[in-house]
Amino acid sequence: MVAAAVGAYLLLAVGLWVHVWTGNPAATASCGCGDSALTMWFLEWPAHALAHGLNPLYSDALFHPVGVNLLSNTGVLAIGVSLAPVTWLAGPVATLAVASTVVPAASATAAYFLVARWTRWAPAAFVAGLLYGFSPFVVDNVAGGHLNVASLFVLPLIAGRLDQLLVRQSGRPVRTGLALGLLVVVQFFLSTEILLIAAVGAGLAVAVLAAVGVAGDPADVVRRVRWALPGLAVAAAVAVGVLAYPTWYGLAGPAHLSGQVWPSIATFDHYGPGDLLVPHPGTWWQNTLSLWGYFGPAPPAEVYLGAGAVAVAVAGLVAFRRDGRLWLFGAVGLGTAALSLGTAGRPWAPWRLFQSLPLLDDVIQGRFVVVTLLCVAVMVGITVDRAWAATHRGAAGGRRRPGRAVAAAVVPVGLVAVALVPSAVAMAPAVPLTTQAVQAPRWLAQADRYTSPDDVLLVYPPPFSGVQSAMAWQATAGLPYLQAGGGGPQGLPSRAGAARAGMEVLDALSSGFSPSEPTGTAAELRSVRAALRTWGVGTVVVPRQVGPPLIGQGRDAAYAAGFFTAVLGRTPRIQADAWVWTDVARSPPPLAVGPTTLLRCWGAGRRAPVPSPVVPACVAAAGR
């Protein structure tokens, strides 16, 4: 049954990404933009570093010259390093395809093994794995390229080791502790945020166990603690010994992020109690997915637990109320569900007690639902198994009661249907996930012909504008140049130092979300020139736009070509479908253009073939 379950999970995962696997997996993804582009870069760097003897934890190929600390960002090093052979053979887009397919199947399989510890009927464990591994949280986040938080396969394994140490107390505690410590290490290199959430969930579980134990048999609690201590000590020693340096590196190493990772984290505070049971809380969820870089029909919101699954879990708690496992997971699930609720307008929200604590202040509270999901999945699995056992036991002992046989067949299957159907119906319009070709502009795809590995490029639209495609272009080309700026939290203007003013101008130039675009005032041109000097930019490239509208392209490239003509005081070369300025440091002073020059020149040249010298030439003539 194990092989059948794993095979079924893999088939479902392939079906989720069928458009990738029936096309070209090395050049197809949900998008080559948004957060998927960021993840492609983070998958490419470890493979590149291992192949060239470089540090996989740090790179100056992005955010040059400061560089990027992968442990301060969503570096997913556990995936990037383990799948490096795929990246060497087929590139980071193929690696993203493999990881995005394996993650749901692996998460489901891990939940299957956890629930199988407490069940005898294999379909019960299978259903639990399905609810967990293919939950809206996992599907939404793999669609948006968030491999760091979508990779939930470690949490059930940690729960299983804790069960072995604290409850079952069989086998060798030291061996169990060693496994637990190694699992913590793996989760650290997947996502420290999910590790913190898992620690809070484990703390809640231990508190419940301790309270029940002390109330019932304090002497038994003491015996259990003594038995578990060697294993817990080994787990702590392994985790601390292995992670001491990486933890320091992420918090204080080169290019680490200071303060809150996302100072605007309060803007993620969306969810209320109803969102846990309502698949689509509003059009803002579709907009959120678009910002992540997913343009297909929206799956249910990531915090959706499945109304049917919650109903089965509650029914099981009522029907089998003597089962301590259901009470334990029910209490932890309810506690983490409460922590997942937003605090805006809710003075009673439990997260207010934790939101200012160090490290926890970087957690997006809605993500506590990952523990809730696991608890609901376990409760559904146990409930279905208990119902199957009860009805089959009655059928075996009651030959003269044909109703027992009917119940034995109907009740467990009915519970499975109730648990799965609402989620399946909500998910169906979005499956299979929408994909598109990952395209790089011709100049950047052939960048090794035009640049040297130590040349610093500012590529339009720059990735710090929220239009993060430039990172995918650099990654798929094999990192043949250094890049000014980057995406993610490090790309906020507040972290740009002396280049902040210029970055803000380039943000407004690039992003289609800005209400106005720069007009080329003297202050704007000076601030951009200063930013280019700070970053050590040698080449500016404005390629012909490719990819989806708005988030993949930014504002019109011809307008940007005119703007950079004014910034650099000279017209560009037209090369491989791109406007290109080289030897930027030796550029003449910016041109003095009027407040309407860029718009007038862009209007006059917007019908010209792209790229065309018309707009830059017009701006240069006006400036002279």
Side-chain angles (χ1 to χ4, degrees):
M1 181 61 190
V2 173
V6 175
Y9 293 146
L10 282 171
L11 283 175
L12 286 170
V14 170
L16 194 66
W17 292 104
V18 67
H19 296 314
V20 168
W21 295 108
T22 56
N24 180 2
T28 309
S30 55
C31 187
C33 64
D35 291 345
S36 292
L38 180 73
T39 300
M40 288 175 199
W41 199 96
F42 283 135
L43 293 174
E44 170 66 23
W45 174 254
H48 181 88
L50 292 174
H52 294 84
L54 302 174
N55 182 358
L57 307 180
Y58 168 84
S59 173
D60 68 349
L62 200 66
F63 290 106
H64 191 83
V66 173
V68 59
N69 184 323
L70 274 74
L71 292 178
S72 269
N73 287 271
T74 54
V76 286
L77 280 162
I79 295 176
V81 171
S82 60
L83 293 184
V86 178
T87 309
W88 294 331
L89 290 172
V93 181
T95 306
L96 180 62
V98 171
S100 298
T101 303
V102 169
V103 158
S107 300
T109 300
Y112 173 91
F113 279 115
L114 175 65
V115 177
R117 299 169 65 85
W118 301 303
T119 59
R120 291 182 296 167
W121 195 43
F126 177 79
V127 169
L130 196 61
L131 287 170
Y132 180 72
F134 292 87
S135 61
F137 187 92
V138 172
V139 173
D140 285 338
N141 281 286
V142 292
H146 298 166
L147 291 181
N148 56 320
V149 295
S151 300
L152 300 182
F153 49 85
V154 177
L155 268 61
L157 303 179
I158 289 176
R161 294 307 89 199
L162 288 173
D163 174 57
Q164 195 75 17
L165 272 177
L166 304 177
V167 181
R168 294 187 175 220
Q169 298 200 319
S170 59
R172 299 179 179 179
V174 170
R175 182 179 296 177
T176 303
L178 176 61
L180 178 60
L182 292 175
L183 288 170
V184 169
V185 170
V186 173
Q187 184 59 61
F188 177 91
F189 288 108
L190 284 171
S191 169
T192 52
E193 181 180 21
I194 297 299
L195 180 58
L196 286 169
I197 289 171
V200 173
L204 282 173
V206 171
V208 172
L209 288 172
V212 172
V214 169
D217 186 355
D220 181 62
V221 173
V222 173
R223 288 192 297 270
R224 288 181 177 277
V225 170
R226 287 176 178 171
W227 193 94
L229 272 179
L232 294 173
V234 169
V238 169
V240 171
V242 175
L243 297 178
Y245 177 74
T247 300
W248 170 85
Y249 201 95
L251 295 176
H256 69 278
L257 302 182
S258 300
Q260 274 192 294
V261 172
W262 284 108
S264 59
I265 197 168
T267 61
F268 303 125
D269 182 8
H270 286 298
Y271 304 116
D275 298 331
L276 301 174
L277 300 175
V278 178
H280 295 279
T283 56
W284 66 266
W285 183 245
Q286 183 75 64
N287 295 334
T288 297
L289 289 174
S290 298
L291 289 171
W292 291 357
Y294 180 72
F295 299 97
E302 61 181 349
V303 297
Y304 178 60
L305 300 172
V310 172
V312 170
V314 172
L317 190 61
V318 173
F320 308 110
R321 50 189 172 275
R322 294 183 182 276
D323 193 321
R325 299 167 302 180
L326 292 174
W327 284 105
L328 171 63
F329 284 100
V332 175
L334 184 63
T336 51
L339 288 173
S340 73
L341 302 178
T343 55
R346 301 185 185 97
W348 49 265
W351 185 242
R352 290 185 180 276
L353 301 174
F354 304 96
Q355 63 183 359
S356 300
L357 296 178
L359 299 182
L360 285 177
D361 60 354
D362 283 323
V363 172
I364 296 174
Q365 63 264 40
R367 290 175 177 169
F368 272 96
V369 82
V370 300
V371 179
T372 313
L373 280 167
L374 182 59
C375 292
V376 170
V378 170
M379 293 177 72
V380 168
I382 292 174
T383 298
V384 170
D385 183 73
R386 288 290 303 267
W388 174 85
T391 53
H392 277 70
R393 189 165 52 247
R399 293 183 179 179
R400 297 181 181 180
R401 297 182 182 181
R404 294 278 190 176
V406 174
V410 172
V411 172
V413 174
L415 288 173
V416 169
V418 171
L420 293 181
V421 169
S423 295
V425 170
M427 191 78 73
V431 176
L433 294 174
T434 302
T435 60
Q436 56 189 282
V438 177
Q439 305 175 66
R442 189 159 68 96
W443 194 97
L444 294 162
Q446 303 169 355
D448 57 343
R449 294 174 51 185
Y450 306 112
T451 66
S452 63
D454 58 353
D455 192 11
V456 181
L457 269 63
L458 178 75
V459 178
Y460 181 84
F464 49 74
S465 63
V467 186
Q468 301 179 103
S469 305
M471 286 185 297
W473 301 338
Q474 185 190 22
T476 55
L479 308 178
Y481 53 85
L482 308 174
Q483 182 156 202
Q490 192 169 339
L492 297 174
S494 59
R495 291 196 164 101
R500 176 170 184 167
M503 178 183 278
E504 289 175 339
V505 172
L506 292 173
D507 263 346
L509 174 70
S510 308
S511 174
F513 306 108
S514 176
S516 60
E517 54 196 345
T519 58
T521 65
E524 290 171 347
L525 303 183
R526 285 196 304 270
S527 64
V528 172
R529 279 291 285 266
L532 297 180
R533 285 195 299 272
T534 299
W535 297 328
V537 172
T539 302
V540 172
V541 181
V542 179
R544 182 174 68 85
Q545 294 167 313
V546 298
L550 192 62
I551 195 168
Q553 296 184 357
R555 294 187 186 274
D556 187 77
Y559 187 91
F563 182 83
F564 281 110
T565 296
V567 169
L568 299 174
R570 56 190 171 98
T571 57
R573 287 185 296 166
I574 307 297
Q575 191 177 58
D577 290 338
W579 293 273
V580 182
W581 293 260
T582 56
D583 204 10
V584 166
R586 298 188 180 184
S587 296
L591 299 174
V593 297
T596 62
T597 300
L598 287 174
L599 279 174
R600 176 174 56 79
C601 289
W602 177 66
R606 64 189 305 175
R607 297 184 182 277
V610 176
S612 163
V614 173
V615 175
C618 175
V619 172
R624 286 195 286 270

